[in-house]
Amino acid sequence: TIYLSLLFLGWLTSPSAWHNKYPVAHGSRQSPIDIVPHQASRDPNLSQIVLNYDRCTSINISNNGHSVVVEFDDTDDRSVIQGGPLDNPYRLKQFHFHWGEKGCEGSEHTVSGNSYASELHLVHWNAVKYKTFDEAATAPDGLAVLGIFLDVRCFFKCLYCLSYDKTKYGFFPKCLLPSSLHYWTYLGSLTTPPLHESVIWIVLKDPITVSEKQVRSCQTWPLLDLYCPLLNNADRNKRIFVS
Ligand SMILES: O[B-]1(O)OCc2ccc(NC(=S)NCc3ccccc3)cc21
Ligand SMILES: [Zn+2]
């Protein structure tokens, strides 16, 4: 009976049971979704997204048992995302990863049914319209989440970056970005409880990858120097723009 009760407890916390406690799970804009590229319609009015991240705003890193979360100081507009489908700048609040048990098939979104090893979510909130994150997290245009796919080796590269002593350098997401910022966007929700339908999703088409050369040469170089060139740049206050 212990086994059965553990089995029942496991089921209670699984996605298929979330609707019991969060009826919005049956809502009209639930995430994640399968992105089918040729079914997506091109909107010529959509501009490119612009990221202005300031490395000094990273404040701490924690492991909440099912994801690694890096939190940022969101008391001002030093680190924001804007452009694309967004009407105003959204402040970076935190980023976290999703991965699978076997180190692959861990992404939340899929592309034509295919999973990536991991998915990075950079969570931003609309501080122009809402006073707090919690308030924005329940509003239809409250959050903007930048979703970036990672291949398996890059996932470990990022974790390695995170494990570095960031108090000296401040962890900075720019080294996490792929080459192009081409994206799909749709109105969706948190993919984890409380499943609020408050997310404007911006999912980058290109995954972050690590080149064979980088992987091969990492046997000779201390892993860190290879993986996080930015961390060697001790210029803390340098504002790095990605547009
Ligand atoms: O589903 B996701 O993984 O993808 C998008 C996304 C954005 C944020 C989170 N979670 C956060 S910020 N929880 C704290 C919180 C959540 C809601 C209200 C207050 C506080 C998870 C995800
Ligand atoms: Zn997430």
Side-chain angles (χ1 to χ4, degrees):
T1 51
I2 295 285
Y3 174 70
L4 285 176
S5 54
L6 285 178
L7 210 62
F8 177 66
L9 271 180
W11 174 78
L12 264 190
T13 57
S14 71
S16 55
W18 284 347
H19 65 92
N20 297 310
K21 196 173 171 197
Y22 304 98
V24 75
H26 296 311
S28 61
R29 52 179 277 191
Q30 282 295 300
S31 297
I33 61 169
D34 177 40
I35 298 168
V36 185
H38 62 271
Q39 286 175 5
S41 55
R42 176 174 296 280
D43 178 345
N45 303 324
L46 276 177
S47 61
Q48 64 176 15
I49 55 163
V50 178
L51 303 174
N52 294 344
Y53 288 149
D54 180 329
R55 61 170 56 231
C56 300
T57 55
S58 66
I59 41 180
N60 78 340
I61 172 173
S62 61
N63 180 330
N64 58 13
H66 55 270
S67 182
V68 176
V69 183
V70 176
E71 289 181 294
F72 288 78
D73 169 4
D74 60 349
T75 51
D76 65 21
D77 277 351
R78 275 176 296 163
S79 291
V80 294
I81 183 173
Q82 53 198 324
L86 306 175
D87 294 340
N88 52 253
Y90 281 59
R91 273 185 203 166
L92 178 61
K93 162 99 178 153
Q94 54 108 309
F95 68 78
H96 61 269
F97 296 88
H98 297 265
W99 63 88
E101 291 72 38
K102 303 176 294 301
C104 54
E105 315 277 303
S107 65
E108 304 243 290
H109 289 93
T110 52
V111 180
S112 302
N114 301 314
S115 286
Y116 283 89
S118 167
E119 188 171 332
L120 164 64
H121 286 160
L122 291 130
V123 181
H124 311 75
W125 61 285
N126 188 341
V128 168
K129 277 184 74 173
Y130 307 103
K131 284 186 286 301
T132 64
F133 172 84
D134 286 9
E135 184 191 347
T138 57
D141 60 349
L143 302 184
V145 180
L146 182 61
I148 309 180
F149 295 120
L150 280 64
D151 75 15
V152 59
R153 287 170 303 194
C154 182
F155 171 51
F156 291 115
K157 154 190 164 184
C158 294
L159 286 190
Y160 209 90
C161 284
L162 289 172
S163 63
Y164 187 68
D165 171 9
K166 63 161 225 38
T167 49
K168 272 198 297 212
Y169 295 91
F171 187 80
F172 180 71
K174 185 174 180 295
C175 71
L176 297 175
L177 294 176
S179 46
S180 93
L181 290 179
H182 292 143
Y183 61 88
W184 294 292
T185 182
Y186 74 97
L187 297 180
S189 73
L190 302 188
T191 61
T192 50
L195 302 173
H196 292 319
E197 299 193 328
S198 57
V199 179
I200 297 171
W201 277 99
I202 299 170
V203 179
L204 295 191
K205 289 183 178 174
D206 296 327
I208 315 177
T209 58
V210 178
S211 69
E212 278 309 316
K213 179 173 169 294
Q214 279 184 317
V215 176
R216 221 182 1 266
S217 57
C218 80
Q219 272 77 34
T220 51
W221 294 95
L223 277 180
L224 184 67
D225 290 351
L226 167 77
Y227 285 172
C228 292
L230 273 175
L231 288 178
N232 300 332
N233 162 9
D235 165 12
R236 275 185 65 85
N237 302 315
K238 181 175 175 197
R239 288 178 63 80
I240 301 176
F241 295 87
V242 180
S243 65

